[in-house]
Amino acid sequence: MTDTPRAAQATPALSAQYAPGEVEQRRYEQWVADGLFKADSSSDKPPFAIVLPPPNVTGSLHIGHALDHSVQDAVIRRKRMQGYETLWLPGMDHAGIATQNVVERRLAGEGVSRHDLGREAFVERVWQWKAESGGKILGQMTRLGDSVDWSRERFTMDEGLSRAVLTIFKRLFDDGLIYRAERIINWCPRCLTALSDIEVEHSDDEGELVSIRYGDGDDAIVVATTRAETMLGDTAVAVHPDDERYKHLIGTEVELPLTGRRIPIVADAHVDPAFGTGAVKVTPAHDPNDFEIGQRHGLPSLTMMDEHGVITVHGPFLGLDRFEARPAVVAALRAEGRIVAEKRPYVHAVGHCQRCNTTVEPRLSLQWFVRTEPLARAAGDAVRDGRVRVEPPELTKRYFGWVDNMHDWCISRQLWWGHRIPVWYGPNGEVVCVGPDDEAPTGEGWVQDADVLDTWFSSALWPFSTLGWPDETPDLAKFYPTSVLVTGYDILFFWVARMMMFGLYAMGGRQPFDVVMLHGMVRDQYGKKMSKSFGNVVDPLDWIERFGADATRFTLLRGANPGADVPVSEEWVQGARNFANKLWNATRYGLAGGATVEGELPTEGLSTVDRWILSRLQHVIGEVDQQFEAFELAKVCDTLYHFAWDDVCDWYLELTKPVLTGDDAEAKARTRRVLGHVLESLQRLLHPIMPFVTEELWTTLTGRPTVVRAAWPVADKELTDDAAEREVDNLQRVVTEVRRFRADQGVKPAQRVVARLEGLEAAGLAAHEGLIRSLARLDQGGGDFAATAKLAVGVGVTVELDTRGAIDVAAERARLTKDRAAAEKEADQCRAKLGNPAFTGKAPDQVVAKIRQRLEAAEADLARISSQLEAL
RNA sequence: GGGCGCGUAGCUCAGCGGAAGAGCACCCGCCUUACAAGCGGGGGGUCGUUGGUUCGAACCCAACCGUGCCCACCA
């Protein structure tokens, strides 16, 4: 057998290029078949649990999910390797309004409305959709390589979670934290349901502010509004109590135009005298502020619009849509001479339905609410007192701003898809909340509330309902509180704050998770948001198919520091694909060169180069551990990328070629063992980021069954070696400088360059002359050696070269002159600093010492460069 | 209207008090026996502007100019 590192001969097992498609599916199926992702709640190992933020069953996973999942998978895979009992629990969210809308749209394509089907049949259709869409999502997760425990998959509407919903609803109800009330809520006239505050998105829209005169003569009062049509529902005009202009009118009545009704003028401190005319029309049934004013003054609430936004008051406007009614009302007022100021454009914030973008209508209606004050305070305290850590910490301010100013949460939705509100109404006005173990009341006249709960109500239970709550299951005991919640900062409020509220409430004050890791949004290579209309959307499956799951994950994780948005592009995923291939080839080469993991790692007789790479490896392990603990996955990627590509591939593999092809069998054996160790350690370190290629390589290299449960590398201080690092660092500088010279001089690689190396001893490189010569392609100086260039390489080494007359003296002289100027400048700067008593007096000793060293180095460079210039 | 953040190489970003960095892009030279999805070399930034603190500022402070996001019931 031959020892030469010829890949083709020695390793038919690895092809010349990494082909992810061939590897990924096979590996994933094996992992699942072997139960490697299954958690054991009876294990003695310390627990580490993540619940997957359940994707909505509205469609398929997008690149943002791929980021979210990649972060979690990286974190959990490392913990699994570290010996924790890991649980990553998968599942999906029924996503009430979003899913209902999707299915309704599909039905519309068939010319059917949900009302044609009826409630039961419609819900059945949604379940069909869920089966279809959910299956697609699960398939995508396997393609990404998610190491989730499939045996514990949950759905927010499955039986167990429904029981959890009933349980907590009943408990909140009994504690007086859920109530039913007639309030102004956000209403979507298209979805025909109430919305919570967070389901409303505000945008600055241009409206028209018109001023309308109410009343006549001395009693006339002018109000301004952007929503003229609502004057039909006015039941008062309000002014500030101290406003001298209107004091005399307070308590009187004016005639409301177009209606013939007379309405009172009331004084309310809410009115800003400086805005507009200082007088406000009051429409309690259609404006939240006006509702408050109405409550304070006992005003009637007059509803003048139905759930579709159509005018319901009798008269010329009856049956008009709200947006048709607006100009119609203005026109009618103008005809009566009531418009006192011309309409003027006015930009103001208008709410839109998050799901369909319809302008939200504040509407007085009877809804169920959660009294959030005590829950939100606890949710804030858990972060304030450090029980829950938020990464990045900057986002805690936003979190506090939210939980400390939370309005009561409207939880009833006039939808069919969701958890039905477990409240029954009796024939005599009885209201009964039915718990999970209660019998629903039967008999004449009893009906269940028709509404369903806000989808976030069940999502808020996710970290414990999925573990079996309200039962005291082994899973709940073992894995609650979960270790970390990973999600995008965009749903900090929607979801995280609510899980905190319900988790603390349901679990006796125990937080749902110890850490919240918030990642950013995936953007394109110019930092732009991805959007269908912009055409810059990336389909993760497309990338997985073309570049592999590992490359896709690496591309995403390479930007995934806490709170940071993640720009991606096809060029970058190509780079990541190249990286996977680089690892592949490095291992292929290692195997061909006899890399092995058998036997103890030798400690005696190691070469400087071996000691150097082992030392570097220990530093890398330390850095990566730190970065992982801080969830700085972008830094993890960066550290490992450079270690793998620069240290291992570009230098270590090259530096060890002479040994591996040489005659010293013992030295060769040692290096083979070190090479094996470095490669397999690198594969273990990269496995959380790039699970597939590392699995394929590690199992091939080690002959062991899987890297999934291999031990995570631990840094060994014994193996760090500063001297070896310095030595190799010097060696690299010499080699690089010679290469630079050759490139500058246009010396062809094949062209013979005879050289004499001086000063190696002093630089500690005496033993490495051979390596330097081979890497820099320098020949031994022969009898006809005639130095034509003298090269100082900065570590006290001088290289005299004979390039057989090919030296461009002018170019080299110019470069040296430039270098000399730089060295002079450097020396001057250092001297100036050292001559400054303020600096030497106040700066730390090590800084001063550093400057001294710099000065010495600069002076040495000056001397060397000068002599070189003379020699040229 | 409040709050938060960001402006560093052509692009995307790291560095956050002691000599300006990475990836990609670009330029030059190479099929050197793991890898051309590669190898070697190189150019490119007065770190948004103006002041201040400091022996020393990309880094701390202030103002300004850009820009992004979140929250918000002034008609």
Side-chain angles (χ1 to χ4, degrees):
Chain A
M1 280 304 286
T2 172
D3 289 327
T4 53
R6 296 289 302 249
Q9 292 173 14
T11 57
L14 294 186
S15 57
Q17 262 188 10
Y18 174 51
E22 192 274 318
V23 169
E24 291 173 1
Q25 194 180 347
R26 169 166 56 85
R27 286 295 175 180
Y28 194 86
E29 283 169 6
Q30 194 61 47
W31 288 335
V32 173
D34 292 346
L36 295 179
F37 307 149
K38 270 189 97 159
D40 176 6
S41 55
S42 68
S43 151
D44 294 333
K45 299 181 192 171
F48 190 93
I50 300 179
V51 288
L52 178 83
N56 292 348
V57 290
T58 42
S60 55
L61 300 187
H62 53 69
I63 192 78
H65 290 111
L67 167 66
D68 188 53
H69 292 212
S70 298
V71 170
Q72 291 170 73
D73 199 37
V75 168
I76 202 112
R77 278 180 185 270
R78 169 165 170 272
K79 288 291 171 184
R80 191 178 291 120
M81 293 172 76
Q82 283 184 320
Y84 286 82
E85 188 59 43
T86 50
L87 166 62
W88 187 14
L89 189 146
M92 280 174 280
D93 197 298
H94 69 281
I97 189 169
T99 308
Q100 173 157 335
N101 280 351
V102 168
V103 175
E104 278 194 81
R105 264 200 297 279
R106 290 189 124 206
L107 285 175
E110 303 166 18
V112 185
S113 83
R114 70 173 150 121
H115 300 282
D116 298 334
L117 286 180
R119 185 163 186 156
E120 246 178 77
F122 176 76
V123 169
E124 190 48 44
R125 281 296 293 260
V126 185
W127 276 105
Q128 281 172 25
W129 162 264
K130 186 263 169 186
E132 187 184 321
S133 165
K136 196 168 164 187
I137 290 170
L138 301 184
Q140 286 179 300
M141 288 172 62
T142 69
R143 296 298 302 275
L144 268 169
D146 291 356
S147 62
V148 293
D149 184 345
W150 290 110
S151 71
R152 285 174 166 83
E153 185 200 336
R154 303 307 296 265
F155 181 55
T156 51
M157 293 242 298
D158 68 26
E159 206 184 318
L161 269 62
S162 298
R163 209 156 65 81
V165 166
L166 293 181
T167 305
I168 198 160
F169 190 99
K170 173 80 171 154
R171 195 180 288 182
L172 287 163
F173 184 90
D174 291 345
D175 283 350
L177 292 172
I178 281 185
Y179 64 92
R180 194 185 196 210
E182 188 162 62
R183 289 276 186 81
I184 293 270
I185 45 84
N186 305 296
W187 180 265
C188 176
R190 199 215 65 84
C191 299
L192 299 180
T193 180
L195 304 172
S196 68
D197 289 346
I198 54 174
E199 288 167 303
V200 177
E201 285 176 353
H202 294 268
S203 61
D204 282 340
D205 290 7
E206 193 156 289
E208 285 171 338
L209 190 65
V210 296
S211 297
I212 310 168
R213 178 170 49 83
Y214 287 7
D216 290 295
D218 293 345
D219 295 343
I221 190 161
V222 176
V223 299
T225 182
T226 53
R227 303 180 59 211
E229 75 283 7
T230 62
M231 58 86 58
L232 299 173
D234 284 3
T235 55
V237 172
V239 297
H240 194 274
D242 302 330
D243 194 330
E244 293 300 333
R245 291 171 295 179
Y246 301 119
K247 252 188 173 157
H248 65 290
L249 292 175
I250 295 169
T252 66
E253 291 190 337
V254 288
E255 186 179 318
L256 183 66
L258 305 181
T259 66
R261 291 185 359 242
R262 294 189 67 79
I263 57 176
I265 294 173
V266 300
D268 195 286
H270 167 77
V271 178
D272 176 5
F275 187 90
T277 60
V280 184
K281 59 190 277 306
V282 181
T283 323
H286 296 281
D287 182 280
N289 284 316
D290 294 4
F291 181 75
E292 297 289 322
I293 295 175
Q295 294 289 98
R296 283 196 285 273
H297 297 90
L299 301 171
S301 294
L302 181 61
T303 299
M304 40 70 65
M305 225 184 272
D306 68 8
E307 68 269 26
H308 296 96
V310 170
I311 308 301
T312 55
V313 288
H314 288 286
F317 310 108
L318 178 68
L320 287 184
D321 177 78
R322 52 191 169 146
F323 296 115
E324 299 165 353
R326 188 169 302 165
V329 167
V330 171
L333 288 167
R334 178 172 292 117
E336 288 195 9
R338 293 281 172 182
I339 303 295
V340 299
E342 273 313 305
K343 298 188 285 182
R344 59 185 171 88
Y346 179 72
V347 174
H348 61 143
V350 177
H352 299 270
C353 173
Q354 184 189 46
R355 295 297 168 188
C356 71
N357 207 36
T358 302
T359 300
V360 163
E361 191 63 41
R363 185 159 189 264
L364 187 61
S365 91
L366 191 58
Q367 303 285 348
W368 285 96
F369 294 87
V370 170
R371 195 159 72 83
T372 51
E373 196 274 327
L375 301 169
R377 181 156 24 81
D381 288 344
V383 173
R384 260 185 287 273
D385 65 24
R387 268 178 295 156
V388 177
R389 180 180 123 213
V390 176
E391 287 289 346
E394 300 90 85
L395 285 173
T396 53
K397 288 176 205 157
R398 273 192 200 179
Y399 175 79
F400 292 141
W402 172 256
V403 294
D404 294 342
N405 299 293
M406 196 180 290
H407 295 133
D408 280 359
W409 173 16
C410 176
I411 50 170
S412 44
R413 295 290 180 280
Q414 289 64 51
L415 305 170
W416 289 349
W417 176 241
H419 295 281
R420 193 139 171 198
I421 290 178
V423 173
W424 294 71
Y425 306 107
N428 303 310
E430 301 95 326
V431 175
V432 176
C433 178
V434 176
D437 304 317
D438 303 335
E439 290 290 322
T442 51
E444 193 67 20
W446 282 90
V447 290
Q448 184 175 4
D449 195 300
D451 293 350
V452 301
L453 288 165
D454 180 5
T455 198
W456 296 102
F457 192 92
S458 53
S459 329
L461 314 178
W462 191 248
F464 49 98
S465 63
T466 52
L467 297 174
W469 188 90
D471 297 333
E472 290 180 11
T473 60
D475 273 6
L476 194 63
K478 179 78 179 173
F479 296 114
Y480 190 94
T482 63
S483 306
V484 55
L485 180 90
V486 177
T487 191
Y489 60 65
D490 56 330
I491 57 173
L492 181 61
F493 307 132
F494 288 86
W495 191 42
V496 176
R498 286 178 176 171
M499 281 190 289
M500 289 283 281
M501 294 197 301
F502 279 9
L504 292 164
Y505 174 76
M507 296 298 295
R510 294 168 70 213
Q511 69 277 12
F513 25 72
D514 299 328
V515 181
V516 180
M517 189 285 189
L518 297 159
H519 58 248
M521 306 294 111
V522 179
R523 294 172 178 273
D524 74 8
Q525 61 193 305
Y526 305 109
K528 280 209 167 63
K529 216 179 246 178
M530 288 194 175
S531 75
K532 279 179 194 141
S533 57
F534 209 77
N536 60 352
V537 174
V538 170
D539 175 3
L541 224 47
D542 173 51
W543 274 14
I544 289 171
E545 271 158 24
R546 290 161 59 214
F547 305 106
D550 290 327
T552 303
R553 293 166 58 119
F554 190 83
T555 305
L556 292 165
L557 292 178
R558 198 174 204 180
N561 280 333
D565 284 344
V566 181
V568 300
S569 80
E570 183 145 336
E571 281 166 356
W572 302 349
V573 73
Q574 277 172 18
R577 184 267 319 262
N578 295 354
F579 180 50
N581 195 47
K582 188 76 179 173
L583 294 170
W584 182 266
N585 276 302
T587 306
R588 196 160 69 99
Y589 164 81
L591 282 164
T596 180
V597 298
E598 299 307 321
E600 289 290 302
L601 194 62
T603 50
E604 297 299 316
L606 287 175
S607 69
T608 306
V609 168
D610 284 338
R611 283 184 282 120
W612 162 74
I613 197 68
L614 288 172
S615 184
R616 285 287 306 128
L617 175 62
Q618 309 316 311
H619 291 308
V620 165
I621 293 169
E623 282 172 44
V624 165
D625 273 332
Q626 229 169 14
Q627 291 157 347
F628 255 114
E629 290 302 319
F631 300 96
E632 294 171 329
L633 298 187
K635 291 186 184 173
V636 170
C637 289
D638 194 58
T639 302
L640 292 174
Y641 181 90
H642 283 112
F643 176 68
W645 206 305
D646 300 348
D647 292 338
V648 175
C649 290
D650 286 350
W651 287 102
Y652 183 68
L653 296 187
E654 297 302 326
L655 287 167
T656 50
K657 274 178 181 171
V659 184
L660 293 176
T661 54
D663 301 327
D664 185 338
E666 284 183 19
K668 196 187 295 189
R670 285 191 295 268
T671 292
R672 283 172 162 179
R673 182 65 190 85
V674 172
L675 176 57
H677 177 75
V678 168
L679 288 173
E680 74 89 16
S681 297
L682 178 59
Q683 285 148 10
R684 280 186 285 150
L685 289 167
L686 276 165
H687 178 254
I689 310 285
M690 309 177 87
F692 292 109
V693 69
T694 51
E695 173 77 335
E696 190 74 2
L697 294 174
W698 194 84
T699 53
T700 306
L701 179 63
T702 65
R704 293 169 204 157
T706 179
V707 73
V708 171
R709 290 191 178 236
W712 180 251
V714 175
D716 180 356
K717 282 211 177 77
E718 294 291 306
L719 291 178
T720 60
D721 189 330
D722 291 347
E725 293 203 37
R726 265 198 309 277
E727 233 172 287
V728 172
D729 190 58
N730 284 347
L731 184 158
Q732 289 173 334
R733 285 208 241 176
V734 173
V735 170
T736 301
E737 186 64 10
V738 175
R739 284 173 173 169
R740 194 222 91 246
F741 176 83
R742 297 184 60 127
D744 277 2
Q745 294 295 325
V747 180
K748 297 288 173 198
Q751 192 172 348
R752 192 156 181 247
V753 174
V754 181
R756 193 178 283 160
L757 281 65
E758 291 168 5
L760 292 178
E761 198 78 40
L765 297 176
H768 305 308
E769 180 164 352
L771 279 177
I772 293 171
R773 284 186 183 279
S774 68
L775 289 177
R777 295 170 167 271
L778 295 175
D779 291 340
Q780 201 75 40
D784 53 350
F785 181 80
T788 54
K790 215 172 167 188
L791 203 58
V793 295
V795 293
V797 175
T798 306
V799 183
E800 283 186 280
L801 303 117
D802 179 354
T803 60
R804 308 290 144 162
I807 299 288
D808 180 344
V809 176
E812 187 61 12
R813 188 180 294 277
R815 199 188 73 83
L816 286 170
T817 307
K818 217 171 116 190
D819 285 359
R820 185 172 59 181
E824 270 166 2
K825 194 179 162 195
E826 166 79 356
D828 284 348
Q829 278 176 356
C830 291
R831 273 192 285 265
K833 275 205 156 183
L834 292 169
N836 181 354
F839 170 72
T840 47
K842 292 193 182 182
D845 290 347
Q846 54 199 53
V847 174
V848 177
K850 222 167 151 187
I851 301 291
R852 285 224 169 77
Q853 279 174 15
R854 276 172 52 192
L855 178 59
E856 281 169 27
E859 282 172 339
D861 281 349
L862 264 179
R864 214 172 303 113
I865 293 166
S866 299
S867 73
Q868 282 179 272
L869 274 168
E870 279 170 33
L872 264 175

